[in-house]
Amino acid sequence: MDLSIVIPVYNEEENVQELAFEVKEALEPSGLRWECLWIDDGSTDGTWDRLLDVAQGRSSGHHRLYGLERNTGQSAALWVGFQRCRGRLIATLDGDGQNDPRDLPRLVALLDHDGYDFVQGYRATRHDSLKRRIASRIANGFRNFFTGKSVRDVGCSTRVFRRECLPYLPPFKGLHRFLPTLAMYQGFRLTEMPVRHRPRRRGIAKYGIFDRLWVGILDLFGVWWLRRRGFRCRLARAYPKQEPL
């Protein structure tokens, strides 16, 4: 399997079928062997039923579904998906349709041909309210200052990285906000690429601006601690050699 796409969803019954169609349209011409893992984060609407329609449809072999017993958060949903991926590369998208799956083949090509480990998208043109854009810029700047790593748009969920990164991503509730930063802490090579961003067409946003602000500040202390107390090591050799290093 070349590519595993992990999409966490919560109450997105109006968006998941169209997004599944777009994923198929974007990846079928690429020649990649791909799968799409949908993690239903305790939805209370018809999201699971719409996902079943996707998984039982014409492209059913590409889709796998996992439903959490209650709403646990985006980081937990991503973590569940990461543990079940079969691809050599892992991609993420938001389930609200604002990320464009057509960007994924470009990000994969950059990893395959330029030797990077992690490609983080950044939204070149934002289609959010002015208040949300300002809050995002402040949060990104504060986060980069505090963590010592410069990532232009960590809030963008369009990204692709090698599965070798997975063992170094600790499970915690703010994981989705720090994925590229945590990968860089472990010495993985990161680059950034502009990607499309679309206005939300259906449904409502699940995050409030100030909800994310206060929780994000708390998470920063945890990531700062990891930076100060973490260590980096790679196996160089083993005997007998029973598995790849």
Side-chain angles (χ1 to χ4, degrees):
M1 187 71 65
D2 294 311
L3 180 67
S4 295
I5 307 156
V6 180
I7 306 180
V9 291
Y10 176 63
N11 289 350
E12 295 289 358
E13 63 176 341
E14 298 176 284
N15 291 310
V16 292
Q17 288 180 305
E18 183 174 349
L19 181 56
F21 175 78
E22 290 182 333
V23 168
K24 177 177 177 289
E25 289 291 295
L27 292 177
E28 279 200 340
S30 71
L32 295 168
R33 296 172 299 164
W34 61 275
E35 63 177 357
C36 191
L37 286 74
W38 300 83
I39 317 300
D40 182 5
D41 187 22
S43 293
T44 57
D45 63 357
T47 295
W48 182 256
D49 292 331
R50 301 291 78 75
L51 288 175
L52 285 175
D53 292 339
V54 169
Q56 295 168 358
R58 295 178 60 186
S59 58
S60 59
H62 290 293
H63 298 278
R64 292 193 284 146
L65 316 180
Y66 300 92
L68 305 186
E69 63 180 2
R70 60 184 178 84
N71 180 236
T72 314
Q74 186 175 351
S75 291
L78 285 173
W79 182 257
V80 168
F82 291 163
Q83 304 313 300
R84 289 157 177 80
C85 289
R86 298 178 294 187
R88 62 182 177 86
L89 303 177
I90 316 296
T92 68
L93 294 172
D94 275 341
D96 58 12
Q98 290 193 264
N99 302 143
D100 193 333
R102 290 177 297 172
D103 287 313
L104 294 180
R106 295 193 301 118
L107 272 63
V108 168
L110 193 58
L111 279 182
D112 280 342
H113 300 307
D114 289 8
Y116 291 103
D117 302 305
F118 200 118
V119 181
Q120 173 67 39
Y122 66 89
R123 294 163 286 190
T125 303
R126 294 284 299 269
H127 290 280
D128 287 323
S129 67
L130 178 61
K131 182 188 294 185
R132 191 171 292 273
R133 293 199 304 270
I134 292 173
S136 178
R137 180 166 296 186
I138 292 172
N140 276 320
F142 187 65
R143 190 179 294 118
N144 285 331
F145 173 79
F146 209 87
T147 61
K149 297 293 183 182
S150 178
V151 181
R152 190 177 309 197
D153 186 7
V154 293
C156 178
S157 293
T158 307
R159 58 175 74 90
V160 179
F161 56 92
R162 300 188 188 278
R163 71 174 301 112
E164 288 81 2
C165 298
L166 289 179
Y168 303 95
L169 300 177
F172 68 102
K173 289 185 177 180
L175 172 65
H176 66 279
R177 299 185 185 95
F178 296 95
L179 282 169
T181 303
L182 291 167
M184 285 195 295
Y185 279 168
Q186 291 296 327
F188 292 106
R189 294 160 296 175
L190 179 138
T191 190
E192 298 174 90
M193 175 179 282
V195 296
R196 301 174 185 89
H197 183 245
R198 307 182 292 193
R200 176 183 269 276
R201 291 169 287 190
R202 305 176 188 88
I204 58 173
K206 307 306 186 295
Y207 293 105
I209 293 174
F210 292 104
D211 293 340
R212 290 190 294 179
L213 174 64
W214 302 122
V215 173
I217 289 174
L218 178 62
D219 291 338
L220 276 172
F221 287 101
V223 174
W224 175 84
W225 182 89
L226 285 173
R227 178 191 177 197
R228 295 297 299 269
R229 297 294 296 163
F231 56 85
R232 181 192 308 171
C233 64
R234 300 279 192 275
L235 282 175
R237 49 192 174 271
Y239 181 86
K241 188 175 181 180
Q242 298 176 337
E243 60 183 32
L245 297 176

